[in-house]
Amino acid sequence: MDFTIILQAGIASGTVLLFATIGELFSERAGVLNLGVEGMMLIGAMSAFSATIATGNPWLGVLVAMFFAGLISQIHAFIVITLQADQVVSGLSLTFLGAGISLVLGEGLSKAGTVSLLPNFSIPLLSLIPIIGKIFFTNQSILVYVGYLLVPLSWYYINRTRPGLHLRSVGEYPSAADALGINVFRLRYFYVFIGGMLAGLAGATISLAVSPGWFSELTTGGQGWIAIGLVIFAQWDPIRAAVGAYTFGALRRLILDIQGPLVLFGFANPFYYNPYLGFFLQMLPYLFTVFVLVIGSREAMRKRIGAPAALGNPYVRGERGK
Amino acid sequence: MAESTVVKKGRASFKIRVEPRLNEPPAWYPAAVSFGALIVALILGGILISLAGGDPIRSYLHIAKASFGDSGVLSDTIVKATPIILAALACSVAFRMKLWNIGAEGQFIMGAFGASAIVLAPVLPAETPRIIFIPVMMMAGMAAGALWGFIPGYLKAKFNVNEIISTLMLNYVAVAWVNFWIFGVWTEGGFQMSPKFPATASLPRLLEYAEAFPILRGLTTHLGLVIGVVAAVILWFIIFRSRWGYEIRLIGDNPHAAQYAGINITQNIIWVMMLSGALAGLGGMSEVAGVVHRLQTAPVAAGYGFTGIIVAWLAKLNPLVIIVASILFGALILAGREIQPSGVPKMIQGIILVCLIASDFLLRYRIVVERGEE
């Protein structure tokens, strides 16, 4: 087993989580919890794949995925921002809705065969660095490189720019933001849309790059939920989100690859000879999410850092400020 | 929220204003709003079905006929409704405390596992009379479900771990756990399923009494329905007539007030998650002992736990209303199996939930239409 190859594939698979996690992070930073990530990712994966089949152009597929996932996120935005409903239940319903719609419209897509995928390439010079070059910069999908750029850009945007300051103020103290003339409602709609678009991009990353195709609900397999967990682990910080997402991606890959070889570290590979042990491997990403949540939550309690103060609360003008 | 929109229509102009409700709406009003949301959802679903190339009216007529058409399919509808009742009860008690247990699905699966272990381990021999077998399986199912609810409850109470994520993650773990057992240990001929249970380990069904009452011939409704209804009634008493229920409701409505009143929130989180898990686990037991008659992942992990979330919400968390709402969803799932495209029932469930949540707005605000002067 060559670990650089596993890590290389792990980075690709972590990119999916990265997009979804950063998207949710933007939405939550604006004070809107969106539990519909899984549904939006399914919409993205399905529409990306079907648009690519229809047009033969994967770039169009990516755009369509981002647009439709963003569009469906606005249902959630309308329900929780304008109608002020409970964000937990509305987000859940978005997951059901997204899964249902993508199953209905994606009917038959699984038999559609292969499509032209997004290009893979290596970065000159950087790919020559030993080990690191092989893992991060060799023969990766273009979306992986987009992911590398997204992390520092999001961090800079949130922490160092004026719109980022507005974003944070809307999530921490909406009534003060409102008093300063920031349009709380419009910004919240906007960042929910951003979250939706990134979730759609995550879906497109699956169906057009990481594991091409449409496999109904198995396409995402709970990664949208893992992304929501990662936001908590990341304590709403893009850099930590990237660390979490790539670690998880590598773990997912490792689990797939560890069942292949006959010999593991010089011993007969138990997972090869007893395939049913593989079910314990399947549990690992989910157990690890819980584990990571425990760590993140304990640390947050200890350091008294927490979610954006207004996360989960609707903003109602004229009510006592929160 | 005092926005107003002026709509010009013909010569008269209307002014639509939204204002908060100051007094409680009449008792019939929430039910009417939910019913209205259901109708709107079905219309929206119809539009989407026709967009996907289906015929919505035929689909809906088909659902109605294939689920309520005669006593045979009605019985099948009730069979589908039974696990939903128990899963929805599980969700309702947790939601009542604003504890978002999304893991009824996993607790349901673990309940099925716990009950099956009694047969497959075997804890009790196949010759054990039913009257002992069934209660022991019920207890094992509830215990396994409660354990699966305890884990996220404990993590929430101790470390403030978000229960939405932890319960959901445990769903996937439960599926893998059961797959391990039915594939690695209790497999039947290498397939991912256990051997069939002996008759003594199955819930009695109506068709068993067809000799005495010919009208019951072919009816598959099983004792699980009675278990579900009894559980609903007991839960209603706990929630609305007991001290514990009062504490649960108070924590849900106003945790600060509850804390000042000296209610132990931490402990209640754990207990309520265990109760929730036990109810879902009982649902899993009823499904393996009443319908599947073996441990197998696909028919057990069929999403009843998730449907339970929607049903609990539709019933406004009222245990008795849950029974009625479950039958509606049982019909949708039963008839939906034959509808193309196959995602339709899931999509309609999603639309219904979206409309229900949106409609809550009408309970908190009223829309006033005023006829303006020219």
Side-chain angles (χ1 to χ4, degrees):
Chain A
M1 248 188 355
D2 183 349
F3 277 97
T4 50
I5 291 180
I6 291 176
L7 287 176
Q8 188 188 7
I11 295 292
S13 123
T15 302
V16 174
L17 285 169
L18 179 76
F19 288 142
T21 307
I22 300 257
E24 178 68 11
L25 194 147
F26 272 108
S27 175
E28 291 193 13
R29 269 295 173 94
V32 181
L33 174 70
N34 187 352
L35 295 183
V37 182
E38 180 87 358
M40 299 187 296
M41 281 173 73
L42 281 168
I43 289 275
M46 183 276 297
S47 52
F49 195 64
S50 73
T52 308
I53 287 176
T55 62
N57 184 345
W59 294 107
L60 205 63
V62 171
L63 286 182
V64 167
M66 291 174 76
F67 175 74
F68 277 110
L71 195 67
I72 200 162
S73 77
Q74 295 303 291
I75 297 176
H76 178 66
F78 176 70
I79 290 176
V80 301
I81 299 169
T82 303
L83 300 187
Q84 301 156 17
D86 190 285
Q87 298 186 357
V88 171
V89 192
S90 171
L92 270 179
S93 73
L94 192 68
T95 286
F96 284 109
L97 188 69
I101 290 179
S102 56
L103 285 183
V104 169
L105 298 181
E107 178 92 356
L109 271 189
S110 50
K111 299 182 215 84
T114 53
V115 294
S116 52
L117 302 175
L118 292 166
N120 281 21
F121 58 88
S122 306
I123 306 263
L125 294 179
L126 287 179
S127 58
L128 297 177
I129 307 170
I131 304 179
I132 292 189
K134 178 107 189 277
I135 294 171
F136 290 96
F137 301 112
T138 304
N139 197 28
Q140 292 285 23
S141 166
I142 182 158
L143 290 178
V144 172
Y145 300 118
V146 172
Y148 296 159
L149 295 178
L150 183 65
V151 178
L153 286 180
S154 319
W155 183 88
Y156 187 80
Y157 179 85
I158 293 172
N159 294 307
R160 290 286 184 273
T161 68
R162 181 169 284 271
L165 180 67
H166 291 179
L167 160 64
R168 283 180 288 144
S169 69
V170 162
E172 296 288 349
Y173 205 159
S175 51
D178 197 14
L180 289 174
I182 297 168
N183 191 332
V184 176
F185 300 103
R186 202 169 64 196
L187 278 190
R188 285 193 167 175
Y189 268 98
F190 176 72
Y191 286 111
V192 172
F193 187 73
I194 295 286
M197 288 209 311
L198 284 172
L201 180 60
T205 310
I206 302 176
S207 65
L208 296 179
V210 174
S211 46
W214 170 249
F215 315 96
S216 58
E217 284 167 303
L218 295 176
T219 315
T220 50
Q223 290 190 73
W225 295 103
I226 292 182
I228 298 171
L230 279 178
V231 176
I232 299 172
F233 162 75
Q235 292 163 359
W236 297 269
D237 173 62
I239 313 266
R240 285 188 62 136
V243 173
Y246 291 132
T247 310
F248 258 87
L251 185 69
R252 283 174 59 89
R253 264 329 290 194
L254 188 66
I255 287 162
L256 285 179
D257 293 336
I258 209 169
Q259 302 183 56
L262 297 171
V263 179
L264 200 63
F265 304 119
F267 295 99
N269 184 351
F271 300 111
Y272 180 83
Y273 291 101
N274 310 305
Y276 51 83
L277 289 182
F279 292 116
F280 287 103
L281 293 177
Q282 285 178 16
M283 293 176 192
L284 284 181
Y286 307 109
L287 285 177
F288 198 58
T289 307
V290 176
F291 178 70
V292 150
L293 271 181
V294 174
I295 305 277
S297 311
R298 284 189 69 172
E299 202 177 341
M301 268 164 89
R302 195 164 47 80
K303 288 197 205 153
R304 299 192 178 282
I305 35 173
L311 184 62
N313 301 324
Y315 176 59
V316 186
R317 260 197 168 162
E319 261 188 15
R320 211 151 44 94
K322 280 185 178 149
Chain B
M1 185 114 169
E3 289 161 40
S4 56
T5 325
V6 179
V7 180
K8 291 259 182 211
K9 194 181 174 195
R11 279 165 42 228
S13 72
F14 294 94
K15 212 168 164 198
I16 297 172
R17 210 175 66 232
V18 179
E19 55 184 39
R21 259 175 211 290
L22 297 176
N23 42 6
E24 284 275 305
W28 55 267
Y29 184 75
V33 168
S34 291
F35 187 74
L38 209 58
I39 300 293
V40 171
L42 290 181
I43 294 172
L44 289 176
I47 294 173
L48 276 172
I49 292 175
S50 50
L51 278 180
D55 181 345
I57 296 176
R58 260 186 48 200
S59 293
Y60 287 145
L61 280 179
H62 178 86
I63 290 178
K65 218 177 107 192
S67 50
F68 298 112
D70 60 64
S71 65
V73 290
L74 181 63
S75 165
D76 289 347
T77 298
I78 291 174
V79 170
K80 281 279 173 221
T82 304
I84 302 175
I85 294 176
L86 285 157
L89 291 176
C91 296
S92 76
V93 59
F95 291 0
R96 179 72 72 178
M97 221 176 98
K98 297 244 161 63
L99 209 50
W100 303 111
N101 177 15
I102 315 302
E105 179 80 0
Q107 292 142 14
F108 187 92
I109 296 165
M110 289 309 280
F113 168 81
S116 305
I118 300 293
V119 188
L120 299 167
V123 175
L124 293 177
E127 308 81 56
T128 314
R130 233 181 197 173
I131 193 99
I132 297 172
F133 225 132
I134 300 292
V136 172
M137 284 173 79
M138 282 170 68
M139 281 194 290
M142 287 170 73
L147 172 72
W148 222 236
F150 169 81
I151 299 169
Y154 179 81
L155 293 178
K156 166 97 179 170
K158 261 280 186 285
F159 307 117
N160 196 26
V161 170
N162 185 319
E163 76 280 12
I164 302 170
I165 313 289
S166 60
T167 50
L168 207 107
M169 292 297 120
L170 287 177
N171 288 346
Y172 294 98
V173 177
V175 173
W177 172 254
V178 169
N179 273 335
F180 162 73
W181 284 92
I182 57 180
F183 196 55
V185 184
W186 297 327
T187 173
E188 178 162 85
F191 292 104
Q192 283 200 22
M193 57 186 190
S194 77
K196 211 163 180 330
F197 291 175
T200 44
S202 59
L203 292 173
R205 296 194 283 188
L206 285 181
L207 54 84
E208 290 170 25
Y209 307 100
E211 250 172 54
F213 307 97
I215 198 167
L216 298 178
R217 187 169 301 137
L219 297 188
T220 51
T221 302
H222 56 85
L223 191 68
L225 175 69
V226 180
I227 296 175
V229 171
V230 170
V233 173
I234 294 176
L235 191 62
W236 188 88
F237 271 98
I238 291 180
I239 295 285
F240 293 109
R241 290 287 180 273
S242 82
R243 189 197 153 89
W244 188 25
Y246 174 74
E247 290 187 5
I248 292 173
R249 282 182 291 141
L250 186 59
I251 296 172
D253 289 341
N254 192 340
H256 293 295
Q259 196 143 30
Y260 284 126
I263 294 171
N264 189 335
I265 296 183
T266 319
Q267 220 161 62
N268 265 308
I269 289 175
I270 297 176
W271 282 114
V272 166
M273 279 304 297
M274 287 177 72
L275 173 63
S276 182
L279 283 164
L282 191 57
M285 175 272 164
S286 138
E287 198 61 8
V288 279
V291 181
V292 189
H293 298 302
R294 56 159 47 107
L295 187 60
Q296 194 181 354
T297 341
V300 174
Y304 296 118
F306 295 114
T307 302
I309 297 171
I310 305 174
V311 169
W313 207 255
L314 176 62
K316 299 257 182 280
L317 311 185
N318 183 323
L320 300 180
V321 183
I322 280 176
I323 300 172
V324 183
S326 297
I327 291 175
L328 265 176
F329 273 74
L332 188 63
I333 291 176
L334 175 76
R337 287 179 311 183
E338 300 145 31
I339 295 182
Q340 291 300 324
S342 58
V344 167
K346 189 157 219 156
M347 184 184 74
I348 293 180
Q349 287 184 37
I351 299 175
I352 290 175
L353 190 55
V354 170
C355 292
L356 277 173
I357 290 154
S359 75
D360 276 355
F361 183 73
L362 295 175
L363 301 183
R364 284 176 290 120
Y365 290 90
R366 44 195 221 119
I367 294 169
V368 188
V369 183
E370 284 171 348
R371 200 177 203 134
E373 293 298 308
E374 282 271 324

